[in-house]
Amino acid sequence: AAREQHDDPNSAACVGEEALLTRPHDQMLWAPLSAGGCALLDACADGHTIADAVQTALTREPEMDLAATLALLLTQGAFTHTEVTEDPT
């Protein structure tokens, strides 16, 4: 009887959560990050321009507060390298 299969009426609802973990100046920081914010960081990590990364983020989360997201990423030290290139147009 102990090995009988029964449906659990109280099944756990697993919901993913996006978070930003940074360590500027040897201090661990944690902040909640929206799906769009994660998409933005992923695009940057893949070498896309910030303009392309923003477009990717807004496609993923059209209602994302872009100003708040960028402020969070900057104040939390999420960007460790920036590169300025000339606009080819």
Side-chain angles (χ1 to χ4, degrees), residues 1 5 15 30 32 37 42 47 49 51 53 63-64 74 78 80 83:
Q5 293 289 327
V15 177
W30 174 92
D42 287 343
T49 65
E63 292 83 27
M64 181 183 77
L74 291 168
T80 59
E83 184 176 315

Side-chain angles (χ1 to χ4, degrees), residues 66-77:
L66 180 59
T69 299
L70 289 173
L72 173 69
L73 296 175
L74 291 168
T75 59
Q76 297 284 334

